[in-house]
């Protein structure tokens, strides 16, 4: 499988095994570290981009000069459905309340909404005084109760947990009976927090806004899915930029490594002279160097990328998310967008491996143009 | 009987096989992880989002301004939960919270 | 076909201190035929090594040319000169072995780029090593050898490809009389297969040569034919 020159190239690595091992280990961890720092926010962003496509097209809220106001359900639904292009209108009862470990999002589950999604894991809906909680909400009470504090203070019986796979959206969600939710949030009877509106065409999201606003007799504020995604993208781009800054030490370490590698290779010019005197052509020498560096860089890139994937998409993601984002209880389920991941890995591999390869090939190319006698004279007496 | 060797080319050959094996194994792991990157989870999550009309991912803990991207100003969180302390909101908080928000903790200015 | 190397008006000068050029070889005209031992003698610093290196394609002449079988190899471009060096076996005065390699691996060095299998390279190198009676040191690292052993290794390395042109620079300088005789016999043996063998050495060896030779003396940049 391997030709003699390739075997000789590996033999050449064994001439200075510890240097090569150090280079390989450094490269592996540099690629893993930098790759993870770049890939993790990218994976989060990619995942969000994909799943956000399932969110409602438009969220409509009633506002007044002080901010948000509850919506009267019947009139609002009527007004929204009168707009051409609107496919469905769903009033949402949700809000923020204090849980035992911090703020939680409470949502009143409409009777017709739950069965489809929770058909498998759950057999019943939350009745009055009952709650279905997200994976991140731990019940401190052995009896399985959850104290919540909003407009009122109330303790609920936890009857089930939402599937772990949906944690990206349901991790700190508490599903309650609609009446319980309204009481806890402080919504009057017959009022909702906002409307979730779906439109017929994705492109209609923006075009329909003026009609929607005009259809309501009170001031409303609409946010489209596209706007939401844009805001998240902005947040994560900042995160990625800051992540990229943390690359600087890794890149500086690589520069040092490359400088040492170049110096080491230049110091072996006499070897190249001897090889040329022994009948090695410039092409042979370049191929030897290419193989030698590939045998160090290729496994390093593969192992580094593997570590990176393991940390971002594999079992290591839990620890990584806890470390970087403080998601102690949220098991991230990041989805691989092949194009995005490959782009990041190619960038990292390029940034890390190209200088190493160049630093090794440079002396070989220099030797190609130099006089063999001069190269050998550098060796002195052997 | 063990053969005496006067060079390390056999050892180099084994080394080549070893690094090939390592590279292939790493590629296999990458492939397996790529194939199993939560395709099921994506479908279940999307169904949950559609059914419950969810708009806000939980990647940032509740109470953070960025948590509800469509209401970057914190008014909605405050109005939804009158008993919560006021949310401290600043640009640097936005950046920090996008990187490492403290889980479930909410900054207050009162 | 009988090979030969011809130097035509060959001059080599090096730039010395204060930008002065120092002429080492001055207008040398000579032909080294195949099948005969060619011995070049001369005082230390006369330019014997430079002449060998120039003929072997390790350095370019300042003027004149080296012609091998009617081809002016010294005028060839780098890639072609690489091919010319492949036909030559060179024994350096200071051996120039690769320290971290074993004796056998040093001898295998010229064979590696030729595309042979490892086992073929190994068997050919072992044969060359046996010719210089150093097989018992095959697995030792080159830097653990004595001066004479290093020279034997360098000779075996030069001969392993059975080249048509052999350039030996002081090949027996660190050897005792018996080993010197054996190595010179080995080089004489190469003339038997019609190789061009050129040996630069001290005059003291001339009366101990195991066979006939064309002898030259290099002095003050000029090469003079001494005797057959």
């Amino acid at each position: 499988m391997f030709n003699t020159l390739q075997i000789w190239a590996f033999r050449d690595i064994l001439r200075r095994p510890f240097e090569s091992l150090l280079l390989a280990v450094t490269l592996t961890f540099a690629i893993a570290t930098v790759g993870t720092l770049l890939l993790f926010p990218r994976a989060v962003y990619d995942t969000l981009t994909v799943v956000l496509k399932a969110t409602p097209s438009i969220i409509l809220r009633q506002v007044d000069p002080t901010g948000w106001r509850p919506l009267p359900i019947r009139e609002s639904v009527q007004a929204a459905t009168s707009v051409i292009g609107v496919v469905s209108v769903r009033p949402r009862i949700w809000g923020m309340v204090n849980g035992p470990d911090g703020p939680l999002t409470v949502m009143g589950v409409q009777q017709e909404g739950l069965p489809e999604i929770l058909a498998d894991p759950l057999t019943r809906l939350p009745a009055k005084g009952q709650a279905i909680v997200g994976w991140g909400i731990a019940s401190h009470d052995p009896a399985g109760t959850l104290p919540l504090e909003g407009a009122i203070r109330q303790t609920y019986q936890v009857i089930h947990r939402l599937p772990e796979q949906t944690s990206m959206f349901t991790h700190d969600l508490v599903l309650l009976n609609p009446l319980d939710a309204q009481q806890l949030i402080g919504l009057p009877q017959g009022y909702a927090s906002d409307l979730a509106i779906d439109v017929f065409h994705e492109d209609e999201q923006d075009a329909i806004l003026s009609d929607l606003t005009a259809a309501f007799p009170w001031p409303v504020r609409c946010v489209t899915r596209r706007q939401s995604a844009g805001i998240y993208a902005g947040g994560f781009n900042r995160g990625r930029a800051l992540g990229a800054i943390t690359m600087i030490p890794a890149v500086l370490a690589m520069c040092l490594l490359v400088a040492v590698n170049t110096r080491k290779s230049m110091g072996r010019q006499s070897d190249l002279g001897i090889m040329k005197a022994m009948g090695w052509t410039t092409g042979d020498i370049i191929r030897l160097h290419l193989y030698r560096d590939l045998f160090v860089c290729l496994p390093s890139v593969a192992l580094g990328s593997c570590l990176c994937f393991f940390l971002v998409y594999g079992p290591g993601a839990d620890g990584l998310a806890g470390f970087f984002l403080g998601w102690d209880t949220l098991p991230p389920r990041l989805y691989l967008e092949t194009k995005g991941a490959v782009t990041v890995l190619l960038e990292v591999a390029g940034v890390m491996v190209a200088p190493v390869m160049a630093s090794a090939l440079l002396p070989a190319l220099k030797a190609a143009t130099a006089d063999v006698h001069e190269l050998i004279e550098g060796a002195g007496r052997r | 009987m063990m053969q005496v060797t006067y060079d390390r080319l056999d050892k180099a050959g084994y080394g080549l096989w070893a690094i090939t094996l390592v590279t292939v194994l790493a590629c296999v792991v990458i492939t397996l992880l790529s194939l199993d990157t939560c395709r099921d989870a994506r479908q279940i999550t999307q169904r949950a989002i559609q059914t419950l009309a969810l708009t806000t991912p939980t990647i940032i803990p509740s109470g953070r301004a960025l948590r509800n991207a469509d209401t970057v100003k914190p008014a909605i969180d405050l109005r939804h939960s009158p008993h919560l302390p006021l949310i401290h909101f600043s640009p640097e908080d936005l950046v920090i919270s996008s990187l490492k928000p403290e889980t479930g903790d909410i900054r207050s200015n009162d | 076909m009988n090979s030969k190397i011809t130097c035509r008006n060959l001059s080599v000068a090096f730039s010395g201190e204060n930008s002065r050029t120092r002429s080492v070889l001055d207008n040398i005209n000579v032909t080294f035929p195949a099948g005969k031992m060619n011995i070049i003698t001369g005082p230390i610093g006369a330019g014997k090594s430079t002449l060998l290196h120039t003929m072997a394609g390790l350095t370019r002449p300042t003027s004149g040319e080296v012609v091998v079988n009617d081809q002016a190899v010294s005028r060839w471009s780098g890639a072609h000169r690489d091919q010319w060096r492949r036909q030559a076996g060179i024994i350096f005065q200071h051996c120039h072995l690769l320290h971290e390699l074993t004796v056998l691996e040093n001898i295998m060095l010229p064979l590696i780029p030729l595309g042979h299998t490892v086992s073929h390279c190994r068997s050919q190198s072992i044969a060359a090593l046996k010719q210089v009676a150093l097989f018992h040191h095959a697995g030792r690292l080159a830097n653990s050898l004595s001066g004479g052993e290093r020279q034997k290794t360098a000779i075996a390395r030069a001969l392993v490809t059975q080249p048509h042109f052999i350039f030996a620079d002081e090949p027996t300088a660190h050897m005792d009389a018996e080993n010197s005789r054996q190595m010179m016999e080995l080089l004489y043996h190469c003339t038997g297969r019609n190789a061009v063998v050129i040996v630069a050495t001290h005059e003291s060896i001339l009366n101990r040569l195991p066979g006939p030779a064309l002898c030259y003396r290099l002095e003050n940049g000029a090469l003079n034919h001494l005797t057959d």
Side-chain angles (χ1 to χ4, degrees), chain A residues 36-90:
Chain A
T36 304
L37 282 173
L38 291 179
L39 194 58
F40 187 66
R42 173 88 197 206
V44 174
Y45 173 69
D46 283 346
T47 303
L48 279 181
T49 310
V50 170
V51 292
L52 278 175
K53 286 177 185 162
T55 60
S57 304
I58 298 167
I59 296 295
L60 182 143
R61 296 195 172 93
Q62 183 182 355
V63 289
D64 67 5
T66 62
W68 166 85
R69 279 179 61 82
L71 276 166
I73 293 175
R74 199 165 52 85
E75 293 89 330
S76 304
V77 172
Q78 210 167 13
T81 45
S82 68
V83 176
I84 296 168
V86 170
V87 174
S88 76
V89 180
R90 284 175 291 173

Side-chain angles (χ1 to χ4, degrees), chain A residues 31-350:
Chain A
I31 288 171
T33 310
V34 175
T36 304
L37 282 173
L38 291 179
L39 194 58
F40 187 66
R42 173 88 197 206
V44 174
Y45 173 69
D46 283 346
T47 303
L48 279 181
T49 310
V50 170
V51 292
L52 278 175
K53 286 177 185 162
T55 60
S57 304
I58 298 167
I59 296 295
L60 182 143
R61 296 195 172 93
Q62 183 182 355
V63 289
D64 67 5
T66 62
W68 166 85
R69 279 179 61 82
L71 276 166
I73 293 175
R74 199 165 52 85
E75 293 89 330
S76 304
V77 172
Q78 210 167 13
T81 45
S82 68
V83 176
I84 296 168
V86 170
V87 174
S88 76
V89 180
R90 284 175 291 173
R92 302 195 306 173
I93 298 165
W94 71 277
M96 297 279 302
V97 295
N98 268 333
D101 296 321
L104 298 174
T105 302
V106 161
M107 180 162 261
V109 190
Q110 304 298 319
Q111 294 298 314
E112 69 276 15
L114 198 59
E116 188 196 339
I117 171 66
L118 302 176
D120 290 339
L122 300 180
T123 52
R124 56 195 170 122
L125 298 171
K128 194 124 177 72
Q130 292 182 334
I132 296 171
V133 297
W135 197 257
I137 301 170
S139 177
H140 298 284
D141 185 354
T145 59
L146 179 70
L148 297 175
E149 185 188 350
I152 58 167
R153 190 190 292 260
Q154 181 85 37
T155 300
Y156 300 88
Q157 183 71 36
V158 177
I159 58 166
H160 226 297
R161 293 178 89 177
L162 291 163
E164 186 192 358
Q165 301 100 303
T166 64
S167 285
M168 187 65 88
F169 270 72
T170 63
H171 156 253
D172 61 354
L173 199 63
V174 180
L175 301 184
L176 295 178
N177 183 283
L179 292 175
D180 279 350
Q182 276 174 331
Q183 277 178 359
L184 192 63
I185 299 163
L187 284 176
Q189 276 279 0
Y191 280 76
S193 306
D194 51 27
L195 293 184
I197 297 169
D198 282 313
V199 296
F200 192 67
H201 274 304
E202 179 83 15
D203 297 338
E204 286 176 357
Q205 280 179 21
D206 296 319
I208 218 167
L209 288 183
S210 56
D211 292 347
L212 263 178
T213 312
F216 285 82
W218 53 78
V220 293
R221 180 169 177 245
C222 298
V223 180
T224 63
R225 183 195 298 153
R226 212 173 288 163
Q227 286 169 331
S228 294
I231 290 166
Y232 284 118
F236 275 93
N237 278 336
R238 277 196 297 274
R240 269 194 295 194
L242 287 174
I245 290 170
T246 57
M247 277 174 59
I248 291 172
V251 171
L252 286 177
M254 277 309 301
C255 289
L256 187 67
L257 199 70
V258 164
V260 170
N261 206 33
T262 310
R263 197 169 168 180
K264 184 187 80 181
S265 302
M266 294 301 264
R268 295 173 68 185
Q269 291 272 297
S270 57
D271 286 6
L272 302 187
I274 294 168
M275 287 160 80
K276 289 194 89 171
M278 293 299 122
W280 287 61
T281 63
T282 303
D284 295 330
I285 289 174
I286 288 177
R287 272 190 296 149
L288 178 83
H289 279 77
L290 209 58
Y291 286 141
R292 202 178 60 185
D293 289 334
L294 272 180
F295 295 153
V296 175
C297 292
L298 212 61
S300 302
V301 169
L303 273 180
S305 305
C306 181
L307 262 174
C308 188
F309 261 63
F310 181 83
L311 286 172
V312 176
Y313 298 113
D318 293 358
L320 194 72
F323 183 76
F324 282 115
L325 295 170
W327 298 350
D328 295 331
T329 52
L330 167 60
R333 292 287 179 264
L334 302 179
Y335 318 133
L336 176 74
E337 291 304 311
T338 315
K339 193 179 162 194
V342 167
T343 309
V344 168
L345 287 180
L346 283 181
E347 277 172 12
V348 172

Side-chain angles (χ1 to χ4, degrees), chain C residues 53-121:
Chain C
H53 288 184
T54 309
M55 285 191 289
L58 305 189
T59 188
R60 284 183 190 274
T62 311
S63 64
E65 58 191 15
V66 177
V67 179
V68 176
N69 298 338
D70 302 325
Q71 300 280 327
V73 293
S74 59
R75 292 182 187 273
W76 282 358
S77 65
H80 287 93
R81 268 150 54 92
D82 285 349
Q83 293 300 328
W84 153 235
R85 278 194 294 270
R86 198 164 267 191
Q87 296 177 49
I90 303 165
I91 301 159
F92 290 103
Q93 185 180 2
H94 300 307
C95 302
H96 291 315
L97 303 178
L98 299 182
H99 281 177
E100 303 89 348
L101 300 183
T102 65
V103 170
L104 190 70
E105 286 167 343
N106 265 288
I107 294 168
M108 288 165 90
L109 192 65
L111 295 168
I112 299 299
L114 300 182
H116 302 306
T117 61
V118 169
S119 56
H120 180 265
C121 295

